[in-house]
Amino acid sequence: MTLNQESYRLLRATYPDIKEPLLVFDQFTPWRADKKEILIQQGDPTSIVRFMISGLARLFFVDDKGNEQTKFFLGPGFFLVPMHSLFLERESWFSIQTSMSCHGVAIDAKTFKGLLKTDLQWANYWICYMTQLFIAKENRERDLLTMNGREKYLD
């Protein structure tokens, strides 16, 4: 199975509305990373967009006291990219580090954004992807708001 086929299979499992292979994956190249590898460092601009096929990574930041604060974990089917850095072309507020060995496909950030403007299939997929992320974020916020102090901090 090629990486394009593997990527498409994973996308179909995650987003069943995708009806045909995303041809843009032919423009992605394979990547691999070992455990504990930093893929993007807090303070750096985003230059590469990675799609994870296998593995686990965490998105975290270092606070003013020097403590690492994990925002969340990313697994297969996720793009490993700080969205604000990618689309606003600013320094990343977060670091992304692998929690285990990972592999997937990657593309230059500028090419990635260009495809969103020129490939309707890719743009439609991206809308579905971002919608799912937004719904998951709303669910996490709702869960946090409905917990009492003990559930949030002690349980």
Side-chain angles (χ1 to χ4, degrees):
M1 180 180 297
T2 67
L3 278 175
N4 190 347
Q5 292 168 329
E6 196 174 351
S7 302
Y8 175 62
R9 181 195 56 73
L10 183 58
L11 287 173
R12 282 285 308 204
T14 310
Y15 306 99
D17 291 341
I18 296 174
K19 301 297 183 211
E20 56 191 78
L22 294 169
L23 300 177
V24 297
F25 271 115
D26 290 337
Q27 297 184 48
F28 284 63
T29 57
W31 67 271
R32 291 194 174 281
D34 294 324
K35 182 179 181 178
K36 299 269 188 187
E37 192 170 323
I38 297 288
L39 303 178
I40 187 165
Q41 184 72 47
Q42 182 176 338
D44 290 345
T46 297
S47 60
I48 298 173
V49 176
R50 292 176 178 89
F51 178 78
M52 188 183 300
I53 293 173
S54 72
L56 183 69
R58 70 182 181 118
L59 189 137
F60 70 96
F61 66 96
V62 178
D63 65 20
D64 294 339
K65 296 178 182 175
N67 300 312
E68 290 185 1
Q69 304 291 332
T70 298
K71 187 171 182 208
F72 52 81
F73 289 90
L74 302 157
F78 281 92
F79 285 90
L80 305 180
V81 61
M83 297 298 174
H84 71 280
S85 179
L86 175 65
F87 289 105
L88 299 178
E89 298 180 0
R90 296 187 177 160
E91 297 175 345
S92 176
W93 300 330
F94 307 104
S95 294
I96 297 177
Q97 179 184 43
T98 58
S99 299
M100 60 190 303
S101 62
C102 301
H103 88 278
V105 291
I107 191 169
D108 173 77
K110 192 172 190 172
T111 304
F112 179 89
K113 292 192 320 185
L115 287 169
L116 290 173
K117 296 176 184 174
T118 60
D119 188 306
L120 182 60
Q121 181 193 34
W122 184 245
N124 286 334
Y125 159 72
W126 191 249
I127 290 169
C128 291
Y129 178 81
M130 293 304 295
T131 300
Q132 292 298 320
L133 290 181
F134 189 76
I135 290 168
K137 182 176 176 12
E138 282 184 331
N139 286 337
R140 282 195 310 272
E141 289 169 347
R142 182 201 62 222
D143 290 347
L144 186 62
L145 291 171
T146 58
M147 292 177 171
N148 64 37
R150 181 175 185 78
E151 291 170 322
K152 284 181 194 175
Y153 304 111
L154 298 178
D155 291 343

